[in-house]
Amino acid sequence: MKIAISSLLMGAGILAACATAPTPVGRSYVAAQVAVANAEKMPVYTHGNQELTVARQRLEASRLASLDGKSELAEMLAIESILSSDLAIAKTALGKTSAVNSEMQNQNKAMQQEMLRNRKVSP
C-alpha cells in the first residue's frame, strides 16, 4: 500500500515537473522580447524585414540556449536580438526619412520650374 501511494505521488510529481517547462527570465532576454515587439509595431517590412527576421531567430536561439543551461550564450544571443531589432527600426526610420527627403526635393524642383515659367510669361 505504501509503495503504491509513493509511486503515485512520484508519478504526479514527475507530471507536474513536465507540465511547467522552465522559461528564460534573464534581463537581456526580456529586453530582447520588448525590442522585437517594438520592431514588429513598425512598418519594417519595407526596409528592415531581414533584420527583424534575424532578431526573431536570435531571440528563439537565446531561449533554447537558456533552456539548455547555456546562460552566457543565451545572454549573447539576446543582445544580438536587441541589436538586430534596433537596426530594423533604424533602417525603417532611414527609409521613411529618405522618402520624405526625396518628395521634398521633387516639390522644390517643381516650384523652381514654376518660378522660371512665371518669369518668362510676365512682361
Side-chain angles (χ1 to χ4, degrees):
M1 182 77 165
K2 288 182 182 181
I3 295 174
I5 293 174
S6 63
S7 296
L8 183 62
L9 290 175
M10 186 183 299
I14 291 172
L15 286 175
C18 291
T20 57
T23 57
V25 291
R27 286 183 186 171
S28 295
Y29 182 81
V30 172
Q33 285 180 312
V34 170
V36 168
N38 287 339
E40 288 174 337
K41 292 177 186 174
M42 301 279 297
V44 298
Y45 304 106
T46 306
H47 301 286
N49 191 32
Q50 182 178 1
E51 290 75 13
L52 181 57
T53 299
V54 169
R56 288 177 180 144
Q57 290 170 343
R58 296 293 187 268
L59 181 63
E60 178 62 13
S62 174
R63 185 185 72 79
L64 294 174
S66 180
L67 293 175
D68 286 344
K70 300 175 182 174
S71 59
E72 288 181 30
L73 178 60
E75 178 83 9
M76 181 193 71
L77 290 166
I79 291 169
E80 286 181 11
S81 177
I82 294 167
L83 294 173
S84 293
S85 296
D86 290 347
L87 182 56
I89 291 170
K91 279 191 166 185
T92 299
L94 177 62
K96 285 180 174 180
T97 303
S98 294
V100 168
N101 186 34
S102 213
E103 179 62 28
M104 290 179 74
Q105 287 176 348
N106 289 340
Q107 289 176 358
N108 188 27
K109 285 179 187 177
M111 287 174 62
Q112 287 175 350
Q113 290 172 352
E114 184 65 25
M115 286 172 47
L116 287 174
R117 197 174 16 230
N118 286 341
R119 280 186 190 166
K120 291 178 184 176
V121 173
S122 56

